[in-house]
Amino acid sequence: MDAWRVQLICLFVYAFFLQGQGNVSGYRTDYVPGLYETRYTEMQVDHFSFTNSDTFQLRYLVNDTFFTKDGSPIFMYTGNEGDIWTFANNTGLLMEMAPRFGAMVVFAEHRYYGQSLPYGEDSFKDPAHIGYLTSAQALADFAVLITQLKGTIPGAENSPVFAFGGSYGGMLAAWIRMKYPHLVAGSLASAASIFQYPGITDCEAYSHVATRTFHRSGVEGCTEGIRGSWDNIQDMGKTEAGRQQLTDIFHLCAPLMANDMRTLVNWLYNLFMNYALLDYPYPTDFLGPLPAWPVKAACQLITNHENIVYGVAAAANLYFNSSGQTACLNISQPYYGGVAWQYQICTEQFEPLCSDGVNDMFPPIPWDLDAISEVCYERWKVRPRPHWAVTEFWGRNISAASNIIFSNGDLDPWSAGCVLKSLSDSLVAIVMEDAAHHLDLRPSNPADPPSVVKARAQEAMIVEKWIQEYHAVK
């Protein structure tokens, strides 16, 4: 598969060639009426210089139903790469904890996502407009918002603030405690892959965990079948007749051309990664409708077909067309994040992923920094700084930090780049068995594994301890 090694170097940036400008996202953005009040606050576009006085409206959501007394805590979700309503609708832990602590709940939107666009429709126009999209600027937004909330809401002046987040939002939750400890009393960072950077985590680790998750589904022959499917797909893609057959098998919206094969394989690679990411024990509708334990469901479809390519196509259909209402599948549509996240990947959120095809179920795909840099420069006229995040956010040397809970599900591929062992009494790692991507943040469900129920109880006890410590020194 040497020819494909060159073609498959940019697994997550291939959408640059397939998508125009805009704040596109695969997330659902509908909302639950009445649960949160939508508010806006004026925010500097550039917090770190005095030469740009532009401002924009940052959106945030508030529920103060249980905020009852002076000094009650504020629970703030540090928004990540999508519309803030997506995360509010899929995060139940904050509201479930709020009555116990008399907490106000806030969901803050990340700049350049949802409605928080610094330059409106021109936000993605060119590097000069999108160049203020950095994690540091977003953290400063959240810090300023905290200051505003505590300074303007009656009873909030003495309130300890706790940051919550999942995935990239979990990274932000950890980082805001590290960078602004005078504003944030503690953080719950779920699925926060703060170690998934060049030089500190093997790029193959993610693929290994994803493969392990499929193996743990208990469906015999699943990972072996997926591993063998890549050669079959490659062989079919060598001829026009084979590509037409692939078009028909996968019910694609457009006929496959020879130069589409890279896109097809990237699409399937990400399909299996997302299955592992979303392997929840009950039906969900986060990135799209999926059944309970979707990895097992996909594996059953794959192994029930004598022809493995038909099985892989059935798994793709389950993910993208579980309702049966989708006429065809579009392999050119990005999975999530849209243009803004693509830019962040091309600058500082440079988390290397690769596979070896031996210890995982994926084709051998190397990590090629130079090639990815060229893709980014062609699209944005910027090049990644692969080691900047380690410099900016401490790398693995975070022992000087305090009051952060790092929770991770052992089914989640991103756990490979997360904190999996406690580093001190106040840097606490919680590993949840049989749990996928930030499952502890989701609303409680009777199907939750015991490890998740236990983790939520432990998280609440730790937050309670931190609240007591906060008030003890005030």
Side-chain angles (χ1 to χ4, degrees):
M1 297 182 70
D2 289 344
W4 278 21
R5 291 172 66 89
V6 177
Q7 293 178 331
L8 299 177
I9 52 178
C10 302
L11 287 170
F12 55 86
V13 296
Y14 78 98
F16 287 171
F17 302 111
L18 307 169
Q19 179 180 331
Q21 296 174 349
N23 187 33
V24 181
S25 172
Y27 293 125
R28 295 185 61 188
T29 57
D30 52 338
Y31 60 93
V32 180
L35 184 58
Y36 297 100
E37 177 187 350
T38 301
R39 300 180 186 175
Y40 298 84
T41 186
E42 187 174 30
M43 199 65 64
Q44 291 289 136
V45 171
D46 186 0
H47 293 283
F48 304 113
S49 78
F50 297 88
T51 58
N52 184 345
S53 59
D54 294 346
T55 62
F56 72 102
Q57 294 295 305
L58 184 82
R59 181 170 62 161
Y60 64 101
L61 314 177
V62 177
N63 185 309
D64 58 4
T65 303
F66 304 105
F67 189 67
T68 55
K69 64 182 186 300
D70 182 38
S72 293
I74 297 173
F75 293 163
M76 189 173 84
Y77 185 96
T78 48
N80 33 319
E81 71 280 24
D83 188 290
I84 193 59
W85 274 110
T86 298
F87 307 110
N89 289 339
N90 285 276
T91 305
L93 181 64
L94 282 71
M95 286 303 301
E96 290 177 9
M97 289 174 59
R100 172 175 173 176
F101 298 107
M104 177 187 302
V105 175
V106 177
F107 279 78
E109 190 161 66
H110 195 296
R111 57 170 53 202
Y112 286 88
Y113 292 96
Q115 295 182 9
S116 299
L117 304 178
Y119 292 105
E121 294 181 356
D122 290 336
S123 295
F124 308 97
K125 181 179 180 180
D126 51 41
H129 287 81
I130 199 174
Y132 300 101
L133 173 52
T134 68
S135 299
Q137 296 279 9
L139 291 171
D141 289 339
F142 299 151
V144 171
L145 176 59
I146 290 169
T147 302
Q148 293 174 348
L149 292 173
K150 296 188 68 169
T152 59
I153 296 177
E157 180 180 0
N158 297 316
S159 294
V161 176
F162 294 91
F164 295 73
S167 196
Y168 172 52
M171 298 164 74
L172 294 169
W175 292 338
I176 198 170
R177 167 63 185 172
M178 293 160 64
K179 294 185 74 69
Y180 300 99
H182 62 298
L183 297 177
V184 177
S187 296
L188 170 54
S190 185
S193 54
I194 61 171
F195 294 163
Q196 189 66 42
Y197 289 107
I200 60 175
T201 293
D202 191 327
C203 67
E204 295 177 357
Y206 185 106
S207 300
H208 293 173
V209 176
T211 302
R212 185 184 68 198
T213 297
F214 272 77
H215 182 73
R216 285 175 56 178
S217 71
V219 179
E220 186 176 355
C222 182
T223 56
E224 295 81 2
I226 293 171
R227 183 183 292 115
S229 71
W230 305 109
D231 285 331
N232 293 342
I233 292 170
Q234 179 190 23
D235 290 340
M236 294 174 70
K238 293 177 180 178
T239 66
E240 182 177 356
R243 292 191 296 272
Q244 183 57 54
Q245 189 177 7
L246 286 171
T247 300
D248 295 337
I249 292 173
F250 283 94
H251 302 289
L252 302 183
C253 295
L256 277 176
M257 300 291 106
N259 59 359
D260 293 327
M261 292 305 299
R262 174 182 63 183
T263 304
L264 175 63
V265 174
N266 287 341
W267 183 71
L268 291 172
Y269 183 104
N270 282 286
L271 170 73
F272 294 128
M273 291 297 193
N274 275 15
Y275 263 121
L277 197 75
L278 303 172
D279 198 24
Y280 297 127
Y282 49 82
T284 59
D285 194 7
F286 186 23
L287 303 185
L290 286 175
W293 299 116
V295 167
K296 182 175 183 178
C299 281
Q300 289 172 336
L301 290 171
I302 290 168
T303 57
N304 283 344
H305 285 78
E306 183 175 346
N307 185 317
I308 194 64
V309 177
Y310 280 87
V312 170
N317 192 65
L318 174 65
Y319 186 95
F320 291 105
N321 188 26
S322 61
S323 67
Q325 301 301 308
T326 302
C328 60
L329 303 185
N330 181 6
I331 64 172
S332 297
Q333 182 175 346
Y335 278 78
Y336 54 82
V339 172
W341 187 241
Q342 294 165 11
Y343 178 82
Q344 288 191 260
I345 290 171
C346 272
T347 50
E348 60 181 2
Q349 292 308 319
F350 198 70
E351 300 175 284
L353 306 179
C354 64
S355 55
D356 60 17
V358 177
N359 298 302
D360 56 60
M361 64 185 189
F362 301 100
I365 302 172
W367 180 254
D368 190 328
L369 171 60
D370 292 337
I372 293 174
S373 179
E374 289 303 317
V375 171
C376 293
Y377 188 79
E378 180 179 344
R379 177 64 179 88
W380 296 110
K381 296 297 183 286
V382 299
R383 296 189 186 279
R385 297 180 184 173
H387 302 291
W388 175 244
V390 174
T391 302
E392 173 78 359
F393 300 115
W394 308 12
R396 286 188 177 270
N397 187 20
I398 65 170
S399 58
S402 64
N403 288 18
I404 305 173
I405 303 167
F406 295 98
S407 61
N408 291 282
D410 67 353
L411 300 179
D412 182 7
W414 282 117
S415 66
C418 295
V419 180
L420 300 178
K421 294 183 179 180
S422 297
L423 302 176
S424 70
D425 290 343
S426 66
L427 293 177
V428 182
I430 300 174
V431 178
M432 300 170 288
E433 187 178 6
D434 296 326
H437 202 48
H438 53 66
L439 179 55
D440 54 329
L441 293 185
R442 293 184 58 81
S444 296
N445 188 287
D448 285 329
S451 64
V452 175
V453 177
K454 181 180 178 181
R456 291 189 182 119
Q458 183 179 355
E459 290 160 0
M461 286 192 298
I462 294 172
V463 169
E464 184 173 36
K465 176 176 178 288
W466 290 344
I467 292 173
Q468 294 170 352
E469 292 174 348
Y470 176 89
H471 287 301
V473 298
K474 286 295 179 180

